[in-house]
Amino acid sequence: MILVTGGAGFIGANFILEWLARSNEPVVNLDKLTYAGNLANLASVDRDERLVFVQGDIGDRQMVEQLLTRYRPRAVINFAAESHVDRSIHGPGEFIQTNVVGTFNLLEAVRAFWSGLGEGEKSGFRFLHVSTDEVYGSLGKNDPAFSETTPYAPNSPYSASKAASDHLVRAYHHTYGLPVLTTNCSNNYGPYQFPEKLIPLVIHNALAGKPLPIYGDGSNIRDWLYVTDHCLGIMTVLEKGRVGETYNIGGNNEKTNLEVVKTICAILDELHPDSPVTPHEKLITFVKDRPGHDARYAINAGKIARELNWQPLESFETGIRKTVAWYLDNQVWVENVISGEYRNWMQTNYATR
């Protein structure tokens, strides 16, 4: 049995789907079901007896302790987090509460559980913390990619809160001996991503003939990682990673935001030529940049490749085509998540840009 936190969110849900497809080991999914947590992401396995869903908050230490005592997982994989930079700019408090205080309470519950295990179970137990490349700050155009030894230099409330959680996880290993693993990933994309993020937002707006908002001049660079590749990387680290180590997981696909949007537009021109506005590139609209917008992220994934023999299977070209096709085939899912809360957020974030 493994315990996954935040398993109804974008990456967590993809991880559970991939886990159940590849393993017979049961999963307990603990998720608070905030705006981005959606059980419809797991509809294809909702009758699978290997999956147990519990609605709850990682910050509720007593509830987490009860879950651990009841199910006795051999591993905890922590996806639970507030994860959107723009939202952290508008409301940083929730990010501190979930990403810092929540991770602390989760660690305390896990430490108490782990301390009470027998020696065999204790040595085999793992706490895997899923984090982001944004904790490393911003790169110049010619700077080497982030490695596991790059100093932390977070620039947004979101990345600062994730950096704090990473430090807590490290401290619980060095202070208490808790067998932890940390992964820092680059920008994920793929099925079930909430359409506040660039790629699903662009697909949704393009199909509706709405503007495709790009911050600044679109020159900000990200390393794009297909979500299934990320999930397989996490599974690899869980199985073979050295306790106490950090592993960067990247897609080896650096693209400017403008390149990403133009690629999506070209695919939609081909796959969905009857949109209200074509070619879709006509909809590109440059808007006021976000405060403190990091110029470039890039991941050096050499360590996980050398030590654990993991590499991404998807190029950006194959992954983005699969992603666009998925959203075209799953418009009912999209419409169900475009709620009043989502519309309010779009108004808050983009109305004055």
Side-chain angles (χ1 to χ4, degrees), residues 9 30 63 97 107 144-145 148 163 170 206 211 213 225 233-234 274 297 300 339 341 346:
L30 172 64
M63 184 272 298
Q97 192 61 42
L107 283 166
E148 290 80 359
R170 174 185 168 87
L225 174 65
I234 292 168
D274 55 347
Y297 303 145
N300 179 343
S339 64
E341 191 279 338
M346 294 299 291

Side-chain angles (χ1 to χ4, degrees), residues 218-229:
S219 64
N220 299 78
I221 296 171
R222 300 294 181 260
D223 174 23
W224 293 94
L225 174 65
Y226 190 63
V227 66
T228 303
D229 280 332

Side-chain angles (χ1 to χ4, degrees), residues 205-212 265 268-269 272-284:
N205 279 17
L207 294 176
K210 296 179 180 179
L212 309 181
C265 288
L268 286 174
D269 288 346
H272 203 271
D274 55 347
S275 292
V277 177
T278 55
H280 293 86
E281 267 195 38
K282 288 182 179 179
L283 296 167
I284 290 176

Side-chain angles (χ1 to χ4, degrees), residues 225-300:
L225 174 65
Y226 190 63
V227 66
T228 303
D229 280 332
H230 183 201
C231 293
L232 295 179
I234 292 168
M235 291 179 196
T236 301
V237 172
L238 181 64
E239 179 186 356
K240 299 189 290 188
R242 288 185 290 133
V243 168
E245 292 291 313
T246 294
Y247 295 90
N248 283 352
I249 304 178
N252 301 324
N253 289 302
E254 288 189 58
K255 304 285 182 184
T256 68
N257 288 345
L258 185 57
E259 285 180 289
V260 170
V261 174
K262 285 186 173 182
T263 300
I264 294 169
C265 288
I267 296 171
L268 286 174
D269 288 346
E270 174 191 343
L271 300 182
H272 203 271
D274 55 347
S275 292
V277 177
T278 55
H280 293 86
E281 267 195 38
K282 288 182 179 179
L283 296 167
I284 290 176
T285 305
F286 295 98
V287 300
K288 182 181 177 182
D289 210 351
R290 73 158 59 124
H293 196 174
D294 289 337
R296 172 177 167 242
Y297 303 145
I299 282 281
N300 179 343

Side-chain angles (χ1 to χ4, degrees), residues 198-217:
L198 177 66
I199 288 174
L201 172 63
V202 166
I203 296 170
H204 174 70
N205 279 17
L207 294 176
K210 296 179 180 179
L212 309 181
I214 300 179
Y215 289 148
D217 61 2

